[in-house]
Every structure is written in C-alpha cells, then in structure tokens.
Amino acid sequence: MGSRSERFIWIGGLLRRQEVLVFLPAVTLFAFWAGGERMLVLTALGLPVVLLALVLPGRDAAAPEGLGGLAQRPQIIATLDGFLGGAESAGRTTGCLVVQIDDLCCLLERHGRAAWTEVIARSAERISAALRQGDSLGWLGGGSFAIALRHARRLEVEELMQLAVRMQAALAPPIHAGAARIEVTCCVGFCPADRAPSPSGRALLEAAQIAAEEARRAGPGSLRSYAPEMAGLRASRCALAAELQTALEEGQIRPWFQPQICTDTGAISGFEALARWLHPRRGLLHPADFLDALVEAGLAERLGEVMLQQSLRALQDWDRAGLRVPTVGVNFSAAELRNPRLVDKLRWELDRFDLTPDRLSVEILETVVAETDSDIVVQTVASLARLGCGIDLDDFGTGHASIGNIRRFTVRRLKVDRSFISRVDEDRDQQRMLSAILSLAERLGLDTLAEGVETPGEHAMVAQLGCGHVQGFGIARPMPFEDTLDWIARRQASLSSMPRIGHRAG
C-alpha cells in the first residue's frame, strides 16, 4: 500500500466517511470481548470522539456544488497579500473587485434552492472566464465573489471601472435553470491598492466589500469605487443597527394606537398599531426617522414580533378593563409575509393571549400587493384569511393594485390613502375620485376605511359618500396604550349620552 504515512492518510480518509459510525456498536462489543469492562468503557467513551473529530472537519457544508474549488476569504486575503508584496517590489500596483449578484433572496423565493445554486455556479464560471490571466477568483458566500487582480503597471479607478463593466456584461446573458430563464444583474465595488486603508490583503478586500455594499444601496446594477468616507458611513450604520437592536430588546420601540371609528354608529371599530421609538436622547421618533435603517439592519421581522405581541397584549388588557375594542391592526412587511412560518407563529401568539383570529387585522401595503409575484406571499396571506384574520389593504390608491390582485390576496377592507381624503369636502374632483373607489369596493363586497381624516368636514363627506370607517388626527392622534384607556372610556360615555330616536331625554 506504500509508505506508512500513505497508509495513515488512507485510513484517515476511510474514517472520515460518515458511514463508519454505523459500526460503532459492533466495535464496542468487540472491545468488551477482547478486553473486558475496562476496554469497553475506554472504547465507548473515546471512539465516538475520535471518529467525530475526523468526520466533521471533512464535511463541506459551505460551498454549493460547483464552487468547492474556488478560493474563499482566507485564500483571497493571502493572494492579495502576495500580489501587494510582489507589486511593491516591482514598482507596480494591484486592486480588488467584489461582485454581488442582485436580488438573490427573491430568486431563491421565486425559483427555489436548485435554481439559486445553478445561478451561483454559472455566474462563477462566467466571471472566471472574463478575468485577465493571473487574476484570482474567490467566493465570499451568498452571491458575493471577490477578484484579486494581478499586479500591473497601471491600475487606476478607470481601469477598475472597465473591469467591473466587463463582469456585468459577462453575467448579462440569461441563465437557464430547469424551465426557468433567469436574468442576472450584479453590483460591483472595487478598490485600487493605493486607496485601501492599509497595505494589507484584508484591508483591500474589506474596502472593496464596503464599496460593493454602497453599490447595492444605490440599486441593482450599480458600480462604486471605495472612498475613505464610506467606512465612516458604514460604521455609523452599524452603530445605528446596534442601537436599534437594543431599542427593540429594551422596549424603547413599541406601538402607539390610533382609533378607527364606524361612520354609521360612531362606535370604536378598532385601533391601528403604529411604531414609535422613545429615544433616550432624541425623544419621540416616528417610523420615517428609523424604519429604513431598521429594515437595512435586518430587524424588520423582529419589529414585527414586538408590534404583534404588544398589540395582542393591548387587546387582552382592554378586554380585562371591560373596554370594547373589536380589532387591532398590525402592519406586516413583505419580508414577514415571505416567512412560511408566519401563520403558525400568529396562531401560537393568538392562543397564548386567548384571542380569536378575527380580533387581528393584518395590514398590507398596496405596493406589496401590486408589485409581488411571489406565490409564498400569496399563500401566506390566503392562509391568514382562512385562519380568520382580517386582511386590510393599506394606502389604497398609491400602488396600482389590480382587481385581480385584490381578489388573489383575499382582501377584506380597503384603507383609502390620505391623498384621496384631503380637502374632499371642498374639492369636487376629490369627491368623484373617492366616490369611484367606494363604488368599486361596494361592488367587490369590501369594507372601506378613510385614512388621514383631519377635519369635521372631511369626516362628514366621507361618511356621506358611504365610507364605512374613518381614522386620522380629526378623530385622535396615535397614543401610548396607557392613554387609550381614558380615551376609550370617554368615547363610550359620549356615545351612551347621545339622544336616540324613540327615547325621551331625561
């Protein structure tokens, strides 16, 4: 079989096969037969540890099929260090590009894991074919590739820009994955060696990655060259992300509740939960001040969990106080609706708070309904409707949702956007537009709510035109839960004191 070292290598390779674990019981029995209880104990305790130590390092769980031969981050850094040293001694320069495939999450959701893997593998082949002789390609995970550029006499931003455009052109032809024809675009960030924060492979790669992140933020197909201020912006975003994480965990971000009123009876028909951040230094912040940063930090689903749990707790506390609040509306983002476990999570939370599903209104932006072609989102919303939750289409009129989409998403109620309500009592065109929307909803059997009602005149006109519910500053501003208790009590008292037909005033 060769030398002793070769025999050990062969045995090690054999032991790394996971099937060997099947023989553990037989080996243990043999040890007892050969050496008694002492050998049995030593074998039973020691052999599994040895085998697992050999098996686990040999497993390749990181790289999809077809990428196992590509360099990864440590090898790319080492290659860049070598290029930097060779360039410095030869009076030349080098650089690094990071190529990030756009919208991989949507691709995975729409076409599945097999298509995702095919796109990554084919993209690696195309990028590799477009490289210059001597360049080195590595895979950074997900849809990110790093290119270490061999040293050259001249490698300025203009040359790197041309190389980036070449990478984009290489990925432009459609990739066929099964029956799917997938169009691929990419963002590219790059950094020449003389602009890196320090003369090391790690610093050069990180600079190119920072540039790629800025390109991704600018939109699909963007290119960015590293600039020193980018590192500061990234650090600020990381600090804000950490601050947001802390705010969510410590209860600084919580729902404030805005009431919704039935236009027929004046009774409370529900509350909408709206996120507010009580910042320890900046005071009360609205979603416009922090929502984009929160989504970018990947905390949208965590925010959704906080809003849902505290909203259901509010319903439970209103019930215990004897205050009638039929429903609470909670906004769900597209990212949350893509989670196939959302329905089970909502069912569990409703059971935990001893609430029926009809007490929860799931609010979805019209833009999500109009722009999504995800079957997962459609199935999730349909499952929520079957569970018994109400589906409210928020900001209706701003996202161009078709009648087909309204039906496909099993919408229960249209929330008409503020832009159609403003000055509706004074503007005849507004009245005609709102009347058309309400007529459409009536024909489709949908309930309606007017958002952003601010004046008694607007309230009166939307009620006259047939809108079922109203919400806005003209009714009440969003308030913390503690303030809702008195507000509800006052509202119910005022309704009970109103004169009714057929009853004499006392």
Side-chain angles (χ1 to χ4, degrees), residues 142-456:
S144 291
F145 298 90
I147 302 169
L149 300 173
R150 63 165 166 73
H151 40 75
R153 192 168 302 281
R154 175 182 170 82
L155 202 59
E156 302 295 337
V157 170
E158 292 77 10
E159 285 78 18
L160 290 174
M161 180 75 76
Q162 292 173 7
L163 287 171
V165 171
R166 186 194 300 180
M167 299 305 131
Q168 290 183 324
L171 292 177
I175 293 175
H176 295 274
R181 182 176 183 272
I182 301 171
E183 304 280 348
V184 176
T185 63
C186 67
C187 294
V188 185
F190 49 87
C191 181
D194 58 1
R195 289 197 180 185
S198 63
S200 71
R202 184 179 301 278
L204 183 52
L205 175 58
E206 289 179 355
Q209 284 189 283
I210 291 172
E213 288 177 15
E214 292 298 320
R216 180 184 56 79
R217 287 169 55 82
S222 298
L223 306 175
R224 288 293 183 273
S225 175
Y226 174 78
E229 59 268 21
M230 288 180 179
L233 291 172
R234 185 195 202 192
S236 298
R237 286 195 292 270
C238 289
L240 179 56
E243 192 176 11
L244 284 164
Q245 179 75 51
T246 300
L248 287 168
E249 298 306 322
E250 295 184 354
Q252 297 174 19
I253 298 177
R254 59 192 181 114
W256 281 31
F257 299 95
Q258 187 172 36
Q260 300 163 341
I261 301 299
C262 175
T263 55
D264 285 339
T265 65
I268 298 169
S269 54
F271 277 84
E272 180 181 3
L274 301 163
R276 295 292 186 267
W277 184 2
L278 191 58
H279 196 282
R281 296 187 308 278
R282 299 168 60 191
L284 186 65
L285 301 180
H286 292 70
D289 300 316
F290 64 86
L291 192 56
D292 287 345
L294 188 141
V295 171
E296 186 175 339
L299 296 172
E301 290 197 62
R302 178 60 186 140
L303 173 65
E305 291 173 357
V306 168
M307 296 294 289
L308 175 67
Q309 291 169 3
Q310 296 198 22
S311 296
L312 296 181
R313 182 173 290 111
L315 272 176
Q316 189 180 62
D317 290 342
W318 286 323
D319 288 349
R320 288 172 177 167
L323 301 172
R324 172 64 178 159
V325 177
T327 67
V328 65
V330 178
N331 291 274
F332 286 80
S333 67
E336 291 176 277
L337 295 171
R338 291 191 193 102
N339 182 354
R341 298 186 299 276
L342 178 64
V343 179
D344 292 334
K345 182 167 70 174
L346 258 63
R347 183 185 290 110
W348 187 86
E349 292 288 358
L350 287 163
D351 287 344
R352 184 162 74 97
F353 288 99
D354 194 25
L355 296 167
T356 55
D358 61 294
R359 304 289 301 280
L360 177 65
S361 293
V362 175
E363 301 205 359
I364 306 171
L365 287 173
E366 188 192 10
T367 50
V368 173
V369 172
E371 295 170 7
T372 188
D373 57 358
S374 167
D375 289 337
I376 293 177
V377 173
V378 176
Q379 291 168 9
T380 298
V381 175
S383 297
L384 291 172
R386 285 194 298 271
L387 180 64
C389 300
I391 308 299
D392 286 5
L393 191 56
D394 202 6
D395 294 345
F396 182 75
T398 62
H400 311 293
S402 67
I403 294 175
N405 271 338
I406 292 173
R407 282 301 189 198
R408 195 160 66 109
F409 281 83
T410 57
V411 172
R412 176 200 65 173
R413 181 167 68 175
L414 302 182
K415 297 187 70 177
V416 184
D417 186 70
R418 162 72 185 158
S419 60
F420 297 100
I421 307 302
S422 177
R423 300 180 65 250
V424 71
D425 54 327
E426 303 172 3
D427 189 331
R428 294 288 296 172
D429 289 338
Q430 284 283 73
Q431 293 171 21
R432 283 190 286 268
M433 184 67 73
L434 178 58
S435 181
I437 293 172
L438 296 176
S439 177
L440 170 67
E442 183 180 9
R443 294 294 182 88
L444 294 175
L446 303 176
D447 203 354
T448 50
L449 182 147
E451 298 183 284
V453 173
E454 295 188 353
T455 68

